[in-house]
Amino acid sequence: MAVFGFSFGGGGAIGSGRDTSFDWARDFFGDVVGYRVGDGPFQVNGVDFTIRRDGEVTSLRTPSQTVNVTVNPTSERYYDVSGETANEAIGNSTITCGNTKSAGCTDYSITRTTGRISPRTEKRGRSFVAIATAASTVTVDVDITLPNWIGYEVASARERAIWDSFISTLRKHEQGHAERAVSGARRLAANLPSSALATARSERMALSAAVYRLRSRILEATSIALSNISMAQRQYDVETNYGRNQP
């Protein structure tokens, strides 16, 4: 069972949905700036971009803009359970994990931090092309909670073997949750935009639009990634019957 927590830096809130505020970019790029849909790549202030056939302006991330992912060491915590036998102790192995009772629990936190957004402009004809850039980092923290049978030391070898098998399977299941959290965080980092373009007849409007577009896309990418992680965790529990059929 997994419990999720998310935090983010750089201001704003988690959001989703398509950004429709920049549909006019096609007209500006096509008619004012002189770029045509499907052309490219072009370069503004050292950042390459293209205009796709659907009219979307796409910036191309450079290696220096790769989002770094920090995965902190997974920690294990324990709660005590009693029982005359291993099976009795297993039956008593229950904690609250989120809104569910479970023998084990994986708490994971994914932190996306985005630095200050830096916008720049370049004059093109009668319009201004603005590009907003920002560096982001993603950090993952995972805590796994498992039961500790307080009668283990005085139990027979047979009872210990039963408990050891149970704990090994439970730990493997919780580590599966941890792996899915880390994998999802890496996909989040891979999909986080580091730049956005906009154009307008005034420099101020172009700058504001580029900043808004980058912030919106970062939040949208974050929301989608976190939703996918939660879905993967639920599917994993269903596939393994919450660890009972752990391969």
Side-chain angles (χ1 to χ4, degrees):
M1 184 67 187
V3 176
F4 166 71
F6 171 73
S7 59
F8 59 94
I14 299 174
S16 62
R18 180 171 175 268
D19 175 16
T20 60
S21 302
F22 298 89
D23 289 347
W24 43 262
R26 177 199 299 260
D27 298 329
F28 274 112
F29 274 105
D31 299 333
V32 180
V33 183
Y35 298 150
R36 293 293 182 266
V37 172
D39 289 345
F42 307 104
Q43 193 175 81
V44 175
N45 285 316
V47 177
D48 295 326
F49 67 94
T50 59
I51 304 175
R52 298 200 310 250
R53 289 293 176 184
D54 59 4
E56 279 291 306
V57 181
T58 306
S59 63
L60 306 179
R61 180 180 295 170
T62 62
S64 62
Q65 294 171 307
T66 300
V67 177
N68 292 323
V69 180
T70 300
V71 181
N72 291 322
T74 299
S75 66
E76 282 194 3
R77 295 181 284 191
Y78 301 90
Y79 66 96
D80 291 338
V81 297
S82 60
E84 294 297 324
T85 65
N87 284 327
E88 186 177 338
I90 291 171
N92 292 334
S93 298
T94 304
I95 57 172
T96 300
C97 187
N99 298 321
T100 307
K101 296 291 186 180
S102 177
C105 186
T106 299
D107 296 291
Y108 62 94
S109 174
I110 299 173
T111 304
R112 188 266 300 154
T113 303
T114 299
R116 182 182 178 87
I117 296 179
S118 302
R120 295 166 292 169
T121 60
E122 182 175 302
K123 190 73 162 57
R124 291 293 176 95
R126 293 176 296 162
S127 297
F128 289 89
V129 178
I131 181 169
T133 59
S136 297
T137 61
V138 174
T139 304
V140 186
D141 293 284
V142 178
D143 295 312
I144 293 177
T145 303
L146 299 170
N148 172 55
W149 180 23
I150 58 177
Y152 181 87
E153 294 300 329
V154 297
S156 67
R158 178 178 178 278
E159 294 298 321
R160 287 189 182 188
I162 295 173
W163 179 260
D164 289 342
S165 176
F166 164 71
I167 285 296
S168 177
T169 301
L170 182 58
R171 179 180 284 110
K172 183 178 180 180
H173 177 74
E174 299 305 330
Q175 287 173 342
H177 280 300
E179 290 167 2
R180 281 158 179 76
V182 172
S183 176
R186 294 193 188 281
R187 285 194 295 271
L188 165 61
N191 292 322
L192 275 176
S194 58
S195 61
L197 287 156
T199 184
R201 293 186 184 276
S202 79
E203 183 175 22
R204 182 176 180 180
M205 286 180 60
L207 287 170
S208 297
V211 170
Y212 174 80
R213 188 173 204 178
L214 178 56
R215 182 179 292 117
S216 297
R217 287 186 169 179
I218 288 173
L219 294 175
E220 182 179 25
T222 301
S223 177
I224 292 172
L226 298 181
S227 176
N228 289 339
I229 293 171
S230 296
M231 187 182 304
Q233 300 288 17
R234 290 193 297 270
Q235 183 177 353
Y236 174 61
D237 273 334
V238 170
E239 290 174 350
T240 62
N241 192 17
Y242 294 88
R244 296 179 182 88
N245 302 325
Q246 190 69 34

